[in-house]
Amino acid sequence: MRQTLKPWVAAGLIAVVAVLAGAFFVTEPQPYGLCVACHARDLADGTLNMLFQFDLPVSPAASDWPLLTGVGLLIGAHFGARVGGETQHRAAKGPLKSFLLGMLAMIFSLIALGCTTRLLLRAAYGDSIAYWAVGGTALGISIATGILAYSARR
Amino acid sequence: MIVLVVTLVVGMIAGFLAQRSRLCFVGGLRDFFLIGDTELLKGALAFFLAAWLMFPLASLLGGSVWQVAEIQSPAVASGRTAMESLPAAPHNQSPADSFEESNGPAVPFRPWLPATVAVLAGAGLGLVSILANGCPLRQHVLAAQGAKDGSYYLGGFYIGAVLYHTTLQPWLSQLLP
């Protein structure tokens, strides 16, 4: 799997696009240009609201139409995988575990008011609470990496 | 309507770039700890720096106003977004609502609460992402590449959003007024 793009180049471009989108279009709870978790919440809640007339909370930016960031991510990534010939049909090794981890990740993201992407955006915006959340994320990563390394050595 | 198109386009660009470069913010720190590889970590830092440079630039270009004064405003300083700071129906309140105009009796002001909640939730997010082998962005990319684990993760992800807002959040906002 050749890595054809340096991560820092890709990250810089994504940040520029996300900030511009957030400043001009997706403006309501600043900064909101790109958040995998919050936009996923808007997509899920907004779609259910439109289909079944529920009253699930969505952010002000999504009050008319649900946000399609998740759909765009899947389309873009699939296109990238096709271009590089990296599509693979891997069977699931732990479906229930992945399902639960996904649910926990969403819940923690919503409590921390952002996924890892938006926490970095908010920290760059100057939101002082985001500094704490990014620090907490680093702490959680360290703990989990330590657990993985320790259990691999046994 | 235009927000719909813009988010779709932003998602497509981000998805393509993230797939071609294996970008993962959580993987950055993990790779650095396990094998001393700094490629993904540089990615996270580049994201932060580029955003940090772009915010004032975007506001100069005519976008949403970004002022230093806004950082000290209570709403932003407490980490609550505009949606979650509305003093509306109880299901719209966020856990860190302590110094907001509330509809109930006066509650003690706990300035340490937003930071503590942020650290704990961030730690949970980091831990879960390592166990799942990727931050949420990377999980979308993996699912699009064909890894079925990523698809199950996304199922839990989206259902978790609905579950959180219907069951957990009202409970939390009563627990931490």
Side-chain angles (χ1 to χ4, degrees):
Chain A
M1 244 196 316
R2 251 183 348 126
Q3 176 185 311
T4 55
L5 194 61
K6 284 281 191 184
W8 65 266
V9 174
L13 287 173
I14 295 177
V16 168
V17 170
V19 170
L20 286 176
F24 287 98
F25 297 105
V26 196
T27 50
E28 239 323 279
Q30 273 295 349
Y32 209 54
L34 178 66
C35 175
V36 191
C38 314
H39 292 194
R41 181 264 317 274
D42 287 341
L43 180 59
D45 284 359
T47 313
L48 287 179
N49 285 350
M50 284 177 74
L51 288 178
F52 302 116
Q53 305 297 322
F54 288 161
D55 192 25
L56 298 168
V58 287
S59 62
S63 37
D64 300 328
W65 296 91
L67 304 183
L68 293 184
T69 316
V71 174
L73 280 177
L74 291 174
I75 295 176
H78 187 71
F79 184 64
R82 275 188 186 276
V83 163
E86 287 168 356
T87 53
Q88 44 196 217
H89 292 289
R90 254 194 301 201
K93 285 183 296 187
L96 183 62
K97 171 183 159 190
S98 302
F99 186 85
L100 288 177
L101 285 176
M103 198 175 287
L104 283 176
M106 169 59 88
I107 292 175
F108 281 125
S109 302
L110 289 179
I111 298 179
L113 294 178
C115 61
T116 44
T117 315
R118 183 161 172 241
L119 288 178
L120 281 178
L121 266 182
R122 276 175 57 206
Y125 190 71
D127 190 344
S128 43
I129 295 296
Y131 301 149
W132 290 100
V134 170
T137 307
L139 182 68
I141 294 175
S142 316
I143 294 175
T145 311
I147 293 176
L148 281 181
Y150 177 70
S151 68
R153 250 181 254 131
R154 301 201 66 199
Chain B
M1 183 66 192
I2 192 167
V3 168
L4 192 89
V5 176
V6 166
T7 53
L8 187 67
V9 170
V10 168
M12 288 200 285
I13 295 176
F16 182 79
L17 290 174
Q19 197 280 333
R20 297 312 301 159
S21 63
R22 286 188 312 120
L23 185 66
C24 178
F25 300 125
V26 157
L29 208 53
R30 174 201 65 200
D31 282 353
F32 181 65
F33 283 153
L34 288 183
I35 53 181
D37 173 51
T38 54
E39 283 294 318
L40 293 178
L41 197 60
K42 280 189 274 190
L45 283 175
F47 185 86
F48 177 81
L49 280 178
W52 187 74
L53 289 173
M54 277 305 296
F55 274 120
L57 194 64
S59 101
L60 278 178
L61 286 173
S64 186
V65 180
W66 178 92
Q67 304 160 337
V68 177
E70 192 170 350
I71 300 168
Q72 275 100 36
S73 79
V76 175
S78 75
R80 283 168 291 132
T81 61
M83 171 190 84
E84 280 130 347
S85 66
L86 292 174
H91 75 273
N92 261 334
Q93 279 175 357
S94 81
D97 245 340
S98 38
F99 50 93
E100 232 249 322
E101 53 264 37
S102 68
N103 301 325
V107 291
F109 176 60
R110 288 176 285 184
W112 49 263
L113 191 60
T116 315
V117 168
V119 169
L120 290 176
L125 182 60
L127 207 131
V128 168
S129 297
I130 287 285
L131 292 178
N133 204 25
C135 63
L137 177 69
R138 179 77 183 144
Q139 291 292 338
H140 278 77
V141 172
L142 285 175
Q145 272 181 212
K148 295 293 183 295
D149 276 336
S151 315
Y152 285 105
Y153 178 100
L154 288 189
F157 201 61
Y158 283 85
I159 293 178
V162 180
L163 274 183
Y164 172 79
H165 275 294
T166 51
T167 57
L168 200 58
Q169 195 195 25
W171 180 76
L172 275 179
S173 63
Q174 284 168 9
L175 198 65
L176 316 159

